[in-house]
Amino acid sequence: MSFGNENRNYYLKDIPLSKAVSILDEWILEAESSFEEEDELIRLEDAVGRVVSGTIFAKISSPITNTAAMDGIATHSSKTIGATDNTPVFLKHVSDYIWIDTGDPMPDGMDSVVMIEDVLKVSEDEIQIRASVYPYQHIRKIAEDIATTEILLQKGSEIRVSDIPCLAAGGYSSISVVRKPRVAIIPTGNELVPIGSIPKPGEVIEFNSLMISTQVQGWGGVPEVLEFLPDESQRIQDKLKEISTKYDLIILIAGSSAGSEDYTSGSIDSIGKVHFHGVAIRPGHPVIFGEVDRTPIFGLPGYPSSTFITSQLFVKKIVLNMLGQTIQLSDFVNAKISRKTMSPMGEDEFIRVNLGKVGGDFIATPSPRGAAMTLSMSRSDGIGHIPSRKEGLDEGDNIVVELTRERRSIENTIILSGSDDIALHLLAEEISDLYKDLRLVTSSVGSVGGLIALSKGYAHLAGSHLLDTETGIYNQSAVTRFLPDQKVRLYDFVGRTQGLIFAKNNQKEISGLKSIVENDCLFINRQIGSGTRLFVDYKLDELNIVRESIRGYDNEEYTHWTVAAAISGGYADVGVGIEAAALSNDLEFIPLGEEKYQLVILEEQLENNPNVYRLIECLKSEKLKAKIDALGGYDVSEMGRYITVD
């Protein structure tokens, strides 16, 4: 076991992305012959998705001879001249015609087919035809489809389903394809435990190898995940020496940074060569590219988002090159970014976004950033690129997004911006059950943030529970303030019970808001602009509790569920949230009051967007009401009712 006393390699240089790509391209150009492009003969039925190793020429013509394209009689076109319904032509001698079926070879001396519909049998030896034909009419001529030696597929082509009939017609039952590159994937780290384990403090479930395997497989390679390696330089070197001649590409996961247990760069450099270590991208700074025995090796960062991005940028290029292919083109859209997004100058940053189409524009809403954010990876629709020359993007700026979800799905997406609630996710489930082509995406920015997004055209509807402390009415005054001169409908969604959430052992003896101050509890709050924050302040004012007297009042979370998780994890004693969040996390709950959560929709959206109308129809679902009611802490009795606010 290493205790950090070995020599370590820090970043060789944090080079620009363009320089790193150039280094990789130069290496590929010089090393193209090092990957043995062995031909592999496979059956035609197994060929879809494989890459042909050489240009394929037709062995035979198709059709191989002139054949009848219709049922009828084969004859010579000169014998049919003048034949019509009124002036039929009679053919009497067997040498003048032969009965023929579709696909039969044409007899010698006959150059056309009269369709059976235009033929009348007069006797055993005599027929009457009522339509003339020209030479080669109703005939599939030899090589009409494919001519012998014609090129069927160029070298490097990926075989598609539509190519299979062509190859079969050209005389092939098996095809020579490029051998798939063998890719070794080695997770490193003392803290790793396999998928399915329950990690102890300090342990991490290793799933990056599964993600990379899926990527490599999708690009056409054959991945093999090897056993975990500990953070020991000599063990890493020994393994690289052992496998460098067995695989076409090696990927080491984690250990690529410059910490006390990061040995990837030094290990490669000790027995081979490091071409770059550190690229000015975010996420993915500490990516490594090197070689051992002319076998390319990548050291990818351990955080999932960093692993994914660097694999897409660098590993994909080399795998496709080994298959004789160029980078596959992705689907891109130009979108407006829905909020100001900072990015450091001099770094190419890749951010995950959710997408939807509002009023003809694609709207990109940034997902939570961070290299370890697996949920935002899963939920995102694309990856936006902020170039290194920019210090981020202003709200409404254009961003180019590479799609990771089908465009059709994105175009059939409803964006709901505002306050988060688990009931919204049940609504999304109901929508997808009723309308298979429709998707609801929520952006948790708080009630005020949702109304602002709606006013700027960044969402189809908003979720809000903003209390007017003077009237006790929810949302109406806020809608008038943030959406002036707009005709708006407020649809009742759910009534919710807000209250104090705390651990069941209740060591702090929490009994109400005053007890938080009296017992010096560590509080966790919601963000400014959220309906819950407004509710908390309203209740504090009622009791004349000074905000500064609450320890942790400025500690913020963005959803009810993260508040509950912080309390479950012991990072706070108490917070305010909805009862459903407490129940789902097995926490105690003291009610503080009831509130109304409503969906805010512009009437023009209802008139012009059928998808929004579909969402409103879902509010009538008794099944949806039953599911939400079962969570506890909700009132669904008024769901679907609305008032109009001018």
Side-chain angles (χ1 to χ4, degrees):
M1 169 101 36
S2 167
F3 293 95
N5 57 350
E6 300 181 51
N7 292 327
R8 292 183 284 117
N9 267 28
Y10 292 86
Y11 292 152
L12 298 180
K13 191 175 183 182
D14 206 11
I15 61 175
L17 175 59
S18 58
K19 180 70 180 296
V21 171
S22 177
I23 290 172
L24 183 60
D25 286 342
E26 288 177 13
W27 187 91
I28 288 172
L29 191 62
E30 293 175 3
E32 277 185 339
S33 60
S34 66
F35 176 68
E36 298 177 10
E37 293 188 4
E38 302 167 5
D39 292 352
E40 182 181 353
L41 194 65
I42 62 171
R43 300 180 306 167
L44 199 57
E45 50 264 44
D46 300 325
V48 173
R50 300 300 297 272
V51 178
V52 296
S53 56
T55 300
I56 299 177
F57 300 89
K59 294 180 181 179
I60 58 175
S61 296
S62 176
I64 201 165
T65 186
N66 291 339
T67 59
M70 299 284 180
D71 295 339
I73 62 157
T75 187
H76 197 280
S77 56
S78 61
K79 298 183 183 296
T80 71
I81 295 172
T84 68
D85 284 335
N86 296 325
T87 59
V89 170
F90 291 85
L91 300 180
K92 298 182 179 180
H93 198 277
V94 69
S95 62
D96 291 337
Y97 69 90
I98 295 176
W99 290 99
I100 198 167
D101 294 326
T102 301
D104 287 348
M106 289 294 293
D108 292 338
M110 297 185 178
D111 67 355
S112 57
V113 172
V114 180
M115 294 190 299
I116 197 166
E117 294 92 331
D118 297 322
V119 178
L120 178 64
K121 187 174 181 181
V122 177
S123 67
E124 285 300 319
D125 297 324
E126 185 177 16
I127 62 170
Q128 180 191 93
I129 59 174
R130 297 187 297 272
S132 60
V133 290
Y134 52 80
Y136 295 101
Q137 187 172 2
H138 305 315
I139 287 178
R140 289 195 68 212
K141 292 186 287 186
I142 184 172
E144 179 181 83
D145 180 16
I146 298 170
T148 304
T149 72
E150 187 173 1
I151 293 175
L152 302 182
L153 285 177
Q154 295 280 5
K155 178 182 178 180
S157 299
E158 182 177 331
I159 301 172
R160 304 163 301 168
V161 172
S162 57
D163 296 322
I164 299 299
C166 171
L167 293 168
Y172 290 89
S173 61
S174 58
I175 290 292
S176 182
V177 296
V178 175
R179 175 180 61 79
K180 292 185 176 184
R182 297 180 290 266
V183 181
I185 301 168
I186 309 174
T188 69
N190 300 327
E191 73 281 12
L192 302 181
V193 294
I195 293 172
S197 304
I198 304 299
K200 300 173 184 175
E203 294 182 336
V204 176
I205 297 173
E206 199 294 300
F207 51 77
N208 279 331
S209 60
L210 180 60
M211 178 176 67
I212 296 174
S213 294
T214 304
Q215 287 177 295
V216 168
Q217 202 165 31
W219 300 328
V222 179
E224 184 177 347
V225 179
L226 307 186
E227 63 180 348
F228 302 169
L229 281 181
D231 292 317
E232 297 178 22
S233 181
Q234 192 59 53
R235 289 278 298 274
I236 294 171
Q237 290 178 44
D238 291 345
K239 177 58 71 172
L240 292 179
K241 287 177 184 176
E242 175 192 338
I243 68 173
S244 62
T245 57
K246 298 178 182 178
Y247 294 91
D248 304 302
L249 172 64
I250 300 170
I251 298 171
L252 292 168
I253 306 173
S256 65
S257 191
S260 62
E261 295 186 344
D262 292 319
Y263 300 112
T264 297
S265 178
S267 298
I268 296 171
D269 202 40
S270 295
I271 57 174
K273 183 176 181 181
V274 173
H275 294 288
F276 61 72
H277 179 191
V279 180
I281 57 175
R282 180 177 296 202
H285 271 285
V287 62
I288 299 167
F289 172 60
E291 61 178 286
V292 171
D293 295 328
R294 296 303 289 164
T295 298
I297 299 176
F298 286 103
L300 303 186
Y303 284 124
S305 187
S306 298
T307 308
F308 182 87
I309 291 293
T310 50
S311 186
Q312 286 284 129
L313 288 173
F314 303 113
V315 178
K316 180 179 183 180
K317 180 183 279 281
I318 211 163
V319 170
L320 292 180
N321 181 265
M322 288 176 173
L323 287 164
Q325 292 186 298
T326 55
I327 287 291
Q328 299 157 339
L329 294 178
S330 300
D331 194 5
F332 291 86
V333 298
N334 289 307
K336 288 182 180 178
I337 197 159
S338 65
R339 57 175 176 259
K340 187 178 180 69
T341 304
M342 300 302 295
S343 182
M345 178 77 82
E347 293 182 348
D348 284 87
E349 183 164 13
F350 298 87
I351 63 171
R352 294 188 174 273
V353 298
N354 288 109
L355 290 164
K357 208 168 188 179
V358 182
D361 292 320
F362 283 104
I363 303 299
T365 300
S367 302
R369 292 154 98 178
M373 305 294 279
T374 56
L375 184 58
S376 69
M377 287 175 63
S378 174
R379 288 181 176 173
S380 66
D381 302 320
I383 300 171
H385 180 202
I386 303 177
S388 59
R389 66 181 181 276
K390 293 190 175 183
E391 288 185 295
L393 298 172
D394 287 326
E395 177 191 302
D397 278 356
N398 183 71
I399 184 170
V400 177
V401 179
E402 180 181 2
L403 301 186
T404 55
R405 196 182 301 275
E406 287 186 1
R407 180 185 287 253
R408 180 181 175 186
S409 176
I410 292 166
E411 290 178 339
N412 283 318
T413 292
I414 303 170
I415 302 175
L416 188 154
S417 188
S419 179
D420 184 54
D421 194 285
I422 195 170
L424 292 175
H425 304 292
L426 294 180
L427 173 60
E429 184 180 280
E430 182 70 12
I431 287 170
S432 61
D433 282 347
L434 290 177
Y435 308 104
K436 303 300 183 186
D437 60 340
L438 193 57
R439 185 175 68 123
L440 175 66
V441 169
T442 58
S443 174
S444 301
V445 294
S447 296
V448 170
L451 294 178
I452 292 172
L454 189 60
S455 72
K456 293 181 176 180
Y458 297 153
H460 295 102
L461 68 161
S464 178
H465 56 111
L466 291 171
L467 174 66
D468 186 332
T469 56
E470 294 182 2
T471 65
I473 298 174
Y474 277 88
N475 299 315
Q476 291 185 37
S477 62
V479 165
T480 302
R481 184 166 71 254
F482 289 105
L483 296 163
D485 305 320
Q486 295 270 24
K487 199 166 187 179
V488 177
R489 287 190 188 182
L490 286 174
Y491 279 87
D492 287 330
F493 184 47
V494 291
R496 309 192 300 187
T497 304
Q498 289 266 30
L500 295 177
I501 300 175
F502 52 94
K504 282 197 168 180
N505 56 31
N506 198 14
Q507 292 181 349
K508 291 285 188 175
E509 299 181 352
I510 296 164
S511 57
L513 281 170
K514 285 187 176 180
S515 67
I516 295 175
V517 179
E518 294 167 351
N519 301 334
D520 192 33
C521 298
L522 180 59
F523 186 69
I524 189 160
N525 209 345
R526 287 292 304 280
Q527 80 277 19
I528 294 173
S530 69
T532 300
R533 178 68 165 259
L534 188 63
F535 177 84
V536 168
D537 290 346
Y538 175 65
K539 290 295 182 182
L540 293 176
D541 290 341
E542 275 189 332
L543 298 171
N544 294 315
I545 298 174
V546 179
R547 293 159 175 70
E548 289 75 16
S549 66
I550 298 177
R551 188 162 64 94
Y553 176 85
D554 293 325
N555 296 337
E556 297 181 348
E557 283 292 350
Y558 280 77
T559 72
H560 299 282
W561 319 108
T562 50
V563 167
I567 294 164
S568 292
Y571 299 105
D573 298 317
V574 62
V576 173
I578 59 174
E579 185 176 1
L583 291 172
S584 64
N585 285 272
D586 196 28
L587 297 170
E588 287 294 328
F589 183 81
I590 296 177
L592 293 177
E594 304 299 314
E595 67 172 8
K596 181 174 286 192
Y597 185 105
Q598 293 175 306
L599 304 180
V600 185
I601 305 175
L602 302 180
E603 285 212 343
E604 65 179 40
Q605 283 286 349
L606 284 170
E607 294 169 0
N608 301 321
N609 191 329
N611 287 337
V612 174
Y613 181 79
R614 285 173 164 184
L615 179 145
I616 296 305
E617 287 295 297
C618 287
L619 298 181
K620 301 174 184 177
S621 167
E622 293 300 323
K623 183 175 74 170
L624 173 63
K625 292 178 182 179
K627 283 184 177 180
I628 295 174
D629 188 55
L631 295 173
Y634 286 103
D635 177 6
V636 295
S637 62
E638 297 184 354
M639 185 185 291
R641 297 180 186 177
Y642 74 90
I643 61 169
T644 301
V645 180
D646 292 317

